Amino acid sequence: MNVLLHPPAAAEAARLQIRMLGAPALMFEGRSLRVVNRKLLCMLGYLALDEGRSDSRERLVGLLWSESDEKHARGSLRQVVTALRRITGELGFEGFETDRSHVTLDPARFRADVTDVLDQLGPDRIHPLLLATEDLPQTLMAGCEDVDPAFAGWLLVRRETLRNQIQQGLMSALEQAAPDGRAERELARALLRLDPTQELAARRLMENLARGGDVPGALTVYNALWDVLGDEHDIEPAEPTRDLVARIKNGEVPEPGAGLGPGARILAAAGTRSREAPAPREGRPGEVAPGEPRPSEARRRLLAPPRLPPLLVVARFELRGEDADAQMMLDGFRHSLIGSLVRFREWQVAESDAPVARAEGPDAPARSRFGIRATAEKLGAEGLRVALTIRDLDSGVFVWSQSFALTYETWTLRQEELLRHATIALNVNLSADRLRRTAHLPEITASLHDLWLRGQSLILQFNAASWEEADKLLTEVTELAPEFAPAFSSRVQLGNTSHISRPGVYRSEALHARTLELAQKAVALDPLDSRAQLALGWALAYNHRWEHALMNFELARELNGHDPWTMTSVAQAWAVAGRHGDAMDLAGQALEATPLPNHTRWGYHAAIRFFAGDYEGALEAARIAGDTHPNNGGWRAASLAHLGRTAEARAEARKLLEVLSQRWWGDVPATPRNMARWVLQVFPWRQDLEWKRLRDGLRIAGLPVAKLPMRDVGP
């Protein structure tokens, strides 16, 4: 197995290199350059990890000088660019380009050590840093956490993304590695260096060592796993791991694959090559065989998330008897559990009370589908007895069940425990550390937790009259528990949508500014929460900071690329921002990932399709959505208008005015012009194309929209 660094041809041609794993440094032809400006190195590191190796000056300013005024920030960026241009000019390096709007690196002439690590993830090669360094992703741009708050947030997400990429690559390579070989041992060790709580890797390494006659070594691996799980997570290894060590202690040599355990079936279903697949072509270490993809292309294929991971369908949790407070606790626990589940890429999550149909046909991809249900009854004055089950929806077999007592005090403990047992039942390998970090909520009192749940419950009712009460409750929680990130995210949800769900309430610059502060606080408290990043993206957009917003939308998608809601919301943001092709592609993926999208969700798809010019598709989506949202009739009317069906468009516009007049909220009179104005000011427009497309459609449909401005904010 190749454990030495053999750079591919692109690396040999790249004369300028940046070391990003550890303290960042700029290298030229193997020698280190003296760079005193840390933000110059941070800018290079950011561009090196950007897929296009290019970004706008505006976004770089927001990333590295977020706390400075615009004039000072742009001046500082010019100084950094000038310094880099001077350095590259003295070296004769021609791979750095700038213009009035963008800064660009030539990927063919620039190389980063992160790229080398990712390119060397396979069953026959592994980068030595993965064996020599504990938690290698945590060393990314070490020491740059204090450069700027915005950069610190980006860096935390990038480290998590890099950790997921490396783990997925190592897991895939481990599945392909033949048992009992050096490759299996080194890959398993690399996974344990990445995360010592990886039980799948520990089992593979234990059986490899035991079959090779190194029983003491296998037991040492188990003892180390036992210690880290007990000391850091207060749990024991899973049953498959305990069974394996018992067999090894009894002198039984494990059969090949005995330690494969959770993860094998899922990776195989995702299209990973099995052990019986042909071995890789032989050649010199690091050599690419003719006709095979270059390392960067291979890396993209290897690290691409599975197209159809297992589907978890979470039904409504049922309470025996009638008790509003108990039902709220149960609903809140379900909501919180879903929020934790959707943060993992290993599966997709959907909410449904109806049967989920399997895709039929010879080309239908294989997919595991499981249903999660729970029933509960009152347990004393402040708790519930909950019975939770997981059932294979195709075979009908119950793969796991458990009963437990639920109180506010045991909330986090139960959630983490359920996630751990569910991963074992579903044959998915998730480390204890990832489960703990994802399930964890800061310790707050039961009464504050109760207030937060009540506020969240009021938001989810989508009742305009309840939102003021929700705002009061959530404000109280954030004041009493200033480190409780979920409450801040809930307040951002209110601020971003308060004008959308209440016809007659117009956007407010003051409200958007306050909401942005809350969103920045939520992300600062929990930067790895994809929904906090998503909320910050929309808050930035409503404050006309689209370049910065697009970065947060990207971070939300990176953190949770399989969550249909995240995909749909990001797709709508891209559609509003003019990225129509990307928006349509991502929206299509969201629909594929959602077995039964609800009517409300179809309203988002209507907007996405409309902005992309797909008026037939927008009309179809808006008709499915019905009037779940008061402005859905606007998509129908405007789509019909652009399709040349003017009479139908005018009829739909009249229905729109009727719906809005019935749901009108606020002090502004419900006149046709005010209602049309409300429809037009719902989105934070980035450019005039999308706004004009909607305005012109409403005009053809007969609504009085003449002389209404695009940036229309305020009553």
Side-chain angles (χ1 to χ4, degrees):
M1 182 183 187
N2 170 31
V3 293
L4 299 176
L5 179 59
H6 291 272
E12 295 173 359
R15 301 168 64 201
L16 191 66
Q17 300 177 338
I18 182 170
R19 184 182 67 207
M20 301 177 64
L21 297 170
L26 193 60
M27 318 285 291
F28 184 73
E29 296 183 340
R31 62 185 177 89
S32 179
L33 302 176
R34 183 172 181 271
V35 179
V36 296
N37 192 321
R38 284 199 302 161
K39 291 197 175 184
L40 186 153
L41 292 172
C42 290
M43 182 184 74
L44 286 176
Y46 171 78
L47 292 173
L49 290 177
D50 184 80
E51 184 176 353
R53 305 294 195 274
S54 178
D55 215 329
S56 69
R57 287 176 177 258
E58 183 178 357
R59 192 177 302 187
L60 292 172
V61 161
L63 184 72
L64 294 168
W65 293 275
S66 64
E67 296 182 315
S68 301
D69 62 82
E70 184 176 357
K71 181 178 179 181
H72 177 267
R74 288 187 175 276
S76 298
L77 177 61
R78 283 195 298 272
Q79 292 177 8
V80 167
V81 169
T82 299
L84 183 56
R85 189 182 293 116
R86 182 176 61 253
I87 292 172
T88 56
E90 292 174 353
L91 298 172
F93 176 75
E94 299 177 352
F96 174 63
E97 298 180 3
T98 62
D99 57 29
R100 294 177 64 98
S101 61
H102 281 74
V103 178
T104 303
L105 292 173
D106 183 351
R109 298 174 175 174
F110 185 91
R111 191 74 178 178
D113 56 355
V114 174
T115 306
D116 294 330
V117 170
L118 293 176
D119 280 347
Q120 297 186 52
L121 286 174
D124 59 344
R125 58 181 180 172
I126 184 173
H127 198 287
L129 281 176
L130 290 171
L131 294 169
T133 312
E134 291 186 7
D135 195 7
L136 182 63
Q138 190 61 31
T139 70
L140 182 68
M141 305 290 286
C144 294
E145 299 84 353
D146 61 348
V147 164
D148 186 273
F151 186 82
W154 171 85
L155 184 57
L156 281 173
V157 175
R158 278 301 185 185
R159 286 173 176 171
E160 185 70 9
T161 301
L162 180 61
R163 184 176 290 107
N164 290 337
Q165 288 178 320
I166 293 175
Q167 176 178 287
Q168 187 171 343
L170 289 174
M171 290 288 293
S172 178
L174 186 59
E175 289 300 319
Q176 301 175 52
D180 300 337
R182 181 187 177 191
E184 182 184 49
R185 289 196 303 276
E186 301 293 8
L187 288 165
R189 285 186 170 123
L191 275 165
L192 290 172
R193 295 291 278 174
L194 183 69
D195 182 350
T197 69
Q198 284 282 356
E199 290 196 51
L200 170 64
R203 288 197 296 271
R204 288 290 294 269
L205 183 55
M206 288 164 59
E207 71 169 34
N208 180 294
L209 294 171
R211 287 198 303 272
D214 187 4
V215 172
L219 297 181
T220 298
V221 173
Y222 180 77
N223 290 335
L225 178 67
W226 176 279
D227 290 342
V228 72
L229 291 178
D231 294 343
E232 297 184 13
H233 304 282
D234 196 26
I235 56 176
E236 296 181 355
E239 185 176 353
T241 311
R242 299 198 303 271
D243 289 344
L244 178 62
V245 76
R247 294 198 301 274
I248 292 174
K249 288 180 177 179
N250 290 333
E252 302 175 19
V253 178
E255 292 293 328
L260 196 62
R265 186 178 70 185
I266 301 308
L267 287 169
T272 308
R273 188 166 43 140
S274 69
R275 293 184 177 185
E276 290 73 26
R281 293 176 60 99
E282 295 185 358
R284 295 191 305 276
E287 181 181 39
V288 179
E292 292 189 1
R294 302 299 303 174
S296 58
E297 182 182 352
R299 175 166 59 93
R300 286 195 295 271
R301 293 182 182 179
L302 177 66
L303 299 177
R307 183 170 182 269
L308 287 179
L311 175 67
L312 309 185
V313 182
V314 185
R316 187 175 187 272
F317 289 3
E318 299 176 1
L319 177 69
R320 297 191 182 100
E322 295 185 4
D323 188 307
D325 290 338
Q327 184 66 59
M328 187 192 66
M329 176 187 285
L330 188 62
D331 291 343
F333 182 70
R334 176 179 179 271
H335 176 75
S336 184
L337 182 61
I338 290 173
S340 291
L341 288 169
V342 299
R343 293 175 71 172
F344 293 106
R345 290 176 175 266
E346 282 76 3
W347 49 52
Q348 292 177 345
V349 182
E351 298 183 74
S352 175
D353 295 321
V356 180
R358 172 176 285 282
E360 303 292 344
D363 297 329
R367 167 177 233 176
S368 303
R369 308 177 315 142
F370 300 90
I372 300 179
R373 289 184 174 273
T375 57
E377 58 185 2
K378 285 278 291 183
L379 180 67
E382 297 181 352
L384 297 174
R385 169 66 61 181
V386 181
L388 190 142
T389 62
I390 300 179
R391 183 170 64 93
D392 188 312
L393 293 176
D394 297 310
S395 68
V397 174
F398 285 89
V399 298
W400 178 72
S401 65
Q402 180 172 327
S403 296
F404 54 90
L406 178 66
T407 64
Y408 291 123
E409 287 79 3
T410 63
W411 189 290
T412 298
L413 175 65
R414 292 305 179 198
Q415 184 168 295
E416 184 176 336
E417 179 183 327
L418 290 172
L419 285 171
R420 176 171 169 79
H421 286 293
T423 60
I424 295 172
L426 298 174
N427 276 346
V428 174
N429 184 76
L430 291 174
S431 70
D433 185 60
R434 289 185 69 201
L435 292 172
R436 175 184 169 276
R437 286 187 290 112
T438 302
H440 178 69
L441 287 175
E443 296 297 331
I444 62 172
T445 65
S447 60
L448 285 179
H449 205 157
D450 181 44
L451 286 177
W452 170 60
L453 288 178
R454 290 179 186 275
Q456 189 65 33
S457 177
L458 289 169
I459 294 175
L460 296 177
Q461 292 177 15
F462 293 101
N463 181 343
S466 69
W467 282 32
E468 291 184 6
E469 180 63 21
D471 186 50
K472 293 178 182 177
L473 292 176
L474 294 170
T475 299
E476 182 178 357
V477 174
T478 53
E479 289 175 350
L480 295 174
E483 303 302 315
F484 187 54
F488 283 93
S489 292
S490 296
R491 289 185 64 187
V492 176
Q493 184 181 358
L494 270 175
N496 282 341
T497 58
S498 62
H499 68 286
I500 299 176
S501 294
R502 297 185 292 179
V505 174
Y506 295 89
R507 287 165 46 198
S508 162
E509 294 283 10
L511 175 60
H512 292 328
R514 292 195 301 271
T515 301
L516 177 57
E517 293 179 0
L518 294 172
Q520 291 168 331
K521 176 71 172 179
V523 168
L525 290 171
D526 191 357
L528 300 183
D529 183 354
S530 62
R531 300 203 175 196
Q533 294 284 358
L534 186 65
L536 176 56
W538 280 111
L540 286 165
Y542 276 116
N543 281 274
H544 312 303
R545 296 170 61 180
W546 265 106
E547 284 297 320
H548 304 165
L550 289 172
M551 183 179 70
N552 289 97
F553 290 131
E554 290 284 0
L555 294 178
R557 193 169 65 98
E558 286 182 19
L559 287 168
N560 199 359
H562 281 167
D563 175 29
W565 165 242
T566 300
M567 287 190 281
T568 302
S569 185
V570 171
Q572 187 176 64
W574 284 351
V576 176
R579 294 175 55 178
H580 301 144
D582 293 338
M584 290 288 282
D585 288 344
L586 190 58
Q589 295 173 35
L591 286 176
E592 288 182 6
T594 311
L596 293 173
N598 58 36
H599 293 295
T600 302
R601 194 71 56 84
W602 277 106
Y604 292 87
H605 288 281
I608 294 166
R609 296 174 181 183
F610 180 86
F611 292 137
D614 178 13
Y615 301 122
E616 289 283 4
L619 180 60
E620 176 191 21
R623 282 178 170 169
I624 296 174
D627 289 325
T628 52
H629 193 279
N631 74 342
N632 285 343
W635 306 122
R636 294 192 292 269
S639 296
L640 287 165
H642 283 292
L643 289 170
R645 297 157 62 176
T646 305
E648 295 175 77
R650 289 178 177 271
E652 195 65 61
R654 289 192 292 271
K655 293 179 184 178
L656 170 65
L657 296 180
E658 291 176 8
V659 170
L660 292 178
S661 63
Q662 293 170 3
R663 302 187 187 182
W664 201 249
W665 184 272
D667 300 328
V668 179
T671 64
R673 184 172 178 81
N674 282 339
M675 287 187 274
R677 179 189 170 213
W678 178 82
V679 172
L680 280 171
Q681 61 87 60
V682 162
F683 287 107
W685 307 107
R686 186 189 187 197
Q687 54 191 17
D688 61 1
L689 173 63
E690 290 74 28
W691 177 79
K692 285 182 177 179
R693 188 165 281 173
L694 179 56
R695 182 203 60 184
D696 291 346
L698 297 179
R699 177 181 55 78
I700 297 170
L703 294 183
V705 296
K707 296 184 180 181
L708 287 178
M710 186 181 80
R711 294 192 183 277
D712 188 9
V713 181

